């Protein structure tokens, strides 16, 4: 199943990597943080780590460390625009609860 990007998210990532001038994809993971226990971490990847799991989505390489995968397996990362706000939206089927501010989640 893995982790995927929506077409809109993939286009946004591709455009950002092109503006940066380098990069091989997007690294997605989780860390312990926030009032609900876990928070997402996103960063543009320039190199593969030895233990990276790799998924391809609309031409973008999505890299995930093995420890994060159980928490985000089946997740789709979307990129949305709502009024004046725009940004990534995490559609994670594993989330059981999230904090009110939307910054952290619990599985």
């Amino acid at each position: 199943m893995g982790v995927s990007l929506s077409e809109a998210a993939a286009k946004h990532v591709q455009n950002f990597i092109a503006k940066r001038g380098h990069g091989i994809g997007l690294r997605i993971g989780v860390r312990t943080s926030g009032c609900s226990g876990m928070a997402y971490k996103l960063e543009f990847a320039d190199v593969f780590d030895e233990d990276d799991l790799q998924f391809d989505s609309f031409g973008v390489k999505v890299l995930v460390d093995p420890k994060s995968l159980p928490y985000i397996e089946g997740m789709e990362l979307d990129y949305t625009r709502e009024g004046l706000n725009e940004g990534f939206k995490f559609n994670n089927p594993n989330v059981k609860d999230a904090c009110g501010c939307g910054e952290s989640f619990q599985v």
Side-chain angles (χ1 to χ4, degrees), residues 5-102:
L5 304 178
S6 69
E7 189 171 0
K11 285 181 183 177
H12 183 75
V13 170
Q14 288 170 332
N15 289 340
F16 194 86
I17 289 173
K19 286 179 187 174
R20 266 179 101 216
H22 65 284
I24 59 167
L26 184 68
R27 187 178 312 281
I28 303 175
V30 297
R31 69 184 192 299
T32 303
S33 179
C35 50
S36 290
M38 307 204 79
Y40 298 106
K41 58 182 182 178
L42 287 177
E43 61 187 17
F44 291 93
D46 295 325
V47 296
F48 290 105
D49 287 343
E50 185 177 299
D51 58 347
D52 278 339
L53 301 169
Q54 180 180 317
F55 306 97
D56 292 308
S57 198
F58 293 101
V60 174
K61 290 183 184 348
V62 179
L63 308 175
V64 179
D65 68 272
K67 291 181 182 177
S68 293
L69 188 61
Y71 302 104
I72 59 175
E73 177 80 35
M75 183 181 81
E76 179 192 56
L77 182 64
D78 194 9
Y79 191 80
T80 60
R81 291 184 182 165
E82 296 173 6
L84 298 176
N85 298 319
E86 63 181 278
F88 288 110
K89 181 178 179 184
F90 299 88
N91 297 316
N92 186 346
N94 304 301
V95 171
K96 302 292 185 238
D97 194 20
C99 68
C101 65

